[in-house]
């Protein structure tokens, strides 16, 4: 099972900052159990959304590595995320070191900040993975950035 918690990257300066969107339709299975009669997106998935956005941003600057969440240094949740909410995930890469990455990010729904997290990533060399390819969301962003004015790929 894959947990892609970003539907689309809408802005990215590789290695610096990125913005993405995730919408949670009512049909998401998480709402069956979290919580019956009061469906909300679990905080752990909100942290994962921030981690995925920061990780994708760092990996686009360093395609030889896969950032792996190592620690949640701090996290705060301000408001609930409900079915149908379109989440805007804003992430920053604070530092890319030889063996780790520091990042942080926040999630906004409409004009309200709903969550914030500060994260530490370990690094795995992509050569050690079965597939060194990026995921579909990152490939989509990269393809959209490589199109010329005529709509063809460079």
């Amino acid at each position: 099972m894959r947990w892609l918690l970003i539907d689309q990257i809408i802005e990215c300066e590789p290695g610096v900052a990125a913005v993405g969107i995730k919408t949670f339709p009512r049909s998401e299975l998480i709402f069956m159990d979290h919580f019956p009669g009061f469906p909300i997106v679990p905080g752990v998935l909100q942290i994962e959304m921030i981690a995925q956005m920061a990780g994708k941003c760092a990996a686009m600057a360093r395609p030889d590595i896969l950032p792996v969440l190592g620690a949640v240094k701090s996290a705060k949740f301000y408001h609930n995320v409900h079915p149908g909410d379109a989440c805007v995930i804003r992430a920053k890469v604070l530092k890319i070191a030889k063996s780790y990455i520091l990042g942080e990010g926040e999630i906004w729904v409409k004009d309200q900040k709903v969550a914030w997290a500060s994260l530490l990533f370990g690094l795995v060399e992509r050569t050690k993975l079965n597939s060194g390819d990026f995921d579909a969301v990152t490939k989509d962003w990269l393809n959209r950035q490589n199109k010329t004015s005529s709509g063809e790929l460079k």
Side-chain angles (χ1 to χ4, degrees):
M1 178 183 300
R2 294 205 51 181
W3 288 91
L4 285 175
L5 294 175
I6 299 170
D7 294 333
Q8 185 178 26
I9 299 169
I10 56 175
E11 294 176 27
C12 184
E13 185 178 344
V16 177
V19 179
I21 295 184
K22 172 65 179 169
T23 302
F24 288 93
R26 161 78 55 203
S27 61
E28 287 275 357
L29 294 177
I30 57 171
F31 296 129
M32 289 176 58
D33 297 319
H34 200 272
F35 295 99
F38 186 67
I40 59 174
V41 175
V44 68
L45 293 184
Q46 294 176 54
I47 291 171
E48 180 65 16
M49 290 163 56
I50 295 168
Q52 287 184 16
M53 192 76 266
K56 288 177 191 330
C57 181
M60 282 191 259
R62 288 270 320 270
D64 59 315
I65 55 99
L66 173 67
V68 178
L69 183 60
V72 178
K73 295 173 65 179
S74 183
K76 294 183 181 181
F77 305 99
Y78 305 103
H79 299 280
N80 295 320
V81 177
H82 299 279
D85 284 347
C87 299
V88 176
I89 308 118
R90 301 181 184 279
K92 295 179 191 172
V93 176
L94 304 175
K95 181 176 185 175
I96 299 178
K98 184 177 179 180
S99 60
Y100 68 92
I101 293 172
L102 295 176
E104 69 177 21
E106 47 194 36
I107 300 170
W108 289 76
V109 173
K110 296 181 183 165
D111 61 350
Q112 284 191 320
K113 181 164 53 170
V114 298
W116 170 87
S118 174
L119 310 167
L120 171 74
F121 297 86
L123 306 179
V124 175
E125 293 175 32
R126 286 196 186 267
T127 56
K128 294 183 179 178
L129 303 173
N130 289 337
S131 170
D133 290 341
F134 285 115
D135 61 83
V137 173
T138 304
K139 284 181 186 177
D140 174 63
W141 166 259
L142 292 170
N143 285 337
R144 284 185 283 123
Q145 299 313 300
N146 287 329
K147 289 194 176 182
T148 64
S149 59
S150 66
E152 297 175 12
L153 288 177
K154 287 182 185 176

